[in-house]
Amino acid sequence: MEEARDEGARYPKHLKAALKARGVEVVPTPKVNHDIVAGRAIARRRPFDDNGDGYRDTLHWYAFLGIVDELYEGHDIFFVSADRRAFGGPNEQDGEAGFHPDLKGDLEKYDAGYPWIRWFTSLRDVPVPGQFMEAVDGRALWVGKAEIAAHILDYLRTNDLDVDPRRLGLADSIADVLVLDLEDATTQDLTVQQYYDNAGLRITFVIRVEAELAARTVVDATGGSFIDEGRLEMPLFVSGVLETPGYEAPLGVPNIVDIRAEPLE
């Protein structure tokens, strides 16, 4: 328990160091006059709700306004929060006019608005400005789908794969799964992005492979327990990312993200 507490105490420092290493700046708590915050609460202006709750959301908003004040001219600025109740307006779309009218009024003081100010409900939806070109020349990808699938299949065959029996829809009694053989790789989905600052490509893939598996179950019996191993054949859908530094350069090592029995919808 004490070790867990110590690890928890160290976590904020580790997180800040990891973010800093990736070029992320943590914005300090905004210096906003308490009377302004209290007046906003009394007036029930968003992000405060109708009960006057929303202090932390309001600090979040004022931190964002500080960034707008400092960086708006010449920068695209993204606001990220899944809290539609605190920040959202009725019947409005994310990223465009999604803010509550109270918050739009705050932005109007800076003459700031869409598309330079955008709201996203998840970091996963935030585009990275300047990272990838919007369109990729068809010549940028010099290998076909079959070659990419074969490259990934070679990697899968020569590396130990962590396959979760639950993601394959197998019974809870199965303890683990070993991959015995993989054949017939075909590309199901392929997305190619090209970096702005070099000719490198990022290839997001989903391939289907026919797999022979050993499903192992721990069986309790008189005198102890033993492992019962059953064989089965099934298709696996493998998704991930691989990169290559430029035209006709070798394909990189695949980064496997997921292995499942059914393709993602």
Side-chain angles (χ1 to χ4, degrees):
M1 181 65 72
E2 184 176 348
E3 183 178 346
R5 282 197 298 266
D6 291 343
E7 182 64 27
R10 292 192 295 266
Y11 178 74
K13 183 178 180 180
H14 292 166
L15 179 60
K16 288 181 180 179
L19 292 172
K20 184 177 181 180
R22 288 159 176 79
V24 176
E25 178 184 353
V26 179
V27 178
T29 302
K31 296 180 180 179
V32 56
N33 189 295
H34 176 72
D35 291 343
I36 295 176
V37 177
R40 195 168 191 125
I42 293 169
R44 303 300 194 257
R45 293 188 65 231
R46 298 296 178 89
F48 284 103
D49 61 20
D50 293 339
N51 296 318
D53 297 324
Y55 181 76
R56 287 183 298 179
D57 291 328
T58 299
L59 292 183
H60 183 183
W61 180 248
Y62 275 109
F64 176 68
L65 291 179
I67 294 173
V68 172
D69 184 33
E70 180 181 356
L71 299 176
Y72 175 59
E73 303 234 352
H75 292 81
D76 292 337
I77 301 177
F78 302 145
F79 179 82
V80 182
S81 174
D83 194 342
R84 297 175 184 272
R85 180 174 297 179
F87 303 104
N91 303 319
E92 299 186 17
Q93 299 298 316
D94 292 349
E96 296 186 16
F99 291 115
H100 188 275
D102 290 346
L103 308 184
K104 287 183 184 179
D106 293 335
L107 292 172
E108 286 174 1
K109 298 174 184 177
Y110 304 94
D111 195 26
Y114 183 84
W116 300 277
I117 302 290
R118 301 177 67 187
W119 175 24
F120 294 93
T121 56
S122 171
L123 279 173
R124 291 174 297 183
D125 299 329
V126 176
V128 180
Q131 185 176 11
F132 295 111
M133 295 183 180
E134 293 185 3
V136 177
D137 189 326
R139 294 171 297 176
L141 188 60
W142 61 95
V143 293
K145 291 183 177 180
E147 187 174 345
I148 291 174
H151 174 76
I152 298 168
L153 178 60
D154 287 342
Y155 173 83
L156 297 176
R157 283 173 167 169
T158 55
N159 289 270
D160 293 331
L161 300 181
D162 183 15
V163 181
D164 183 351
R166 307 293 86 77
R167 296 182 91 74
L168 302 186
L170 301 179
D172 292 342
S173 58
I174 295 177
D176 65 358
V177 173
L178 298 179
V179 178
L180 303 178
D181 192 23
L182 298 171
E183 298 286 347
D184 300 330
T186 56
T187 301
Q188 301 292 297
D189 187 61
L190 206 64
T191 301
V192 181
Q193 296 170 294
Q194 187 167 20
Y195 288 98
Y196 265 111
D197 55 357
N198 57 51
L201 300 181
R202 175 185 174 90
I203 304 170
T204 305
F205 62 82
V206 178
I207 69 166
R208 170 179 169 151
V209 295
E210 301 301 323
E212 181 183 355
L213 307 173
R216 304 197 299 183
T217 305
V218 178
V219 179
D220 293 322
T222 303
S225 59
F226 65 94
I227 294 178
D228 181 36
E229 186 172 285
R231 302 293 179 93
L232 66 153
E233 295 181 356
M234 64 189 307
L236 298 181
F237 292 86
V238 182
S239 60
V241 175
L242 63 88
E243 297 196 352
T244 179
Y247 184 69
E248 293 188 346
L251 295 172
V253 176
N255 176 24
I256 305 302
V257 175
D258 189 34
I259 300 176
R260 61 178 63 221
E262 298 290 339
L264 290 170
E265 295 296 334

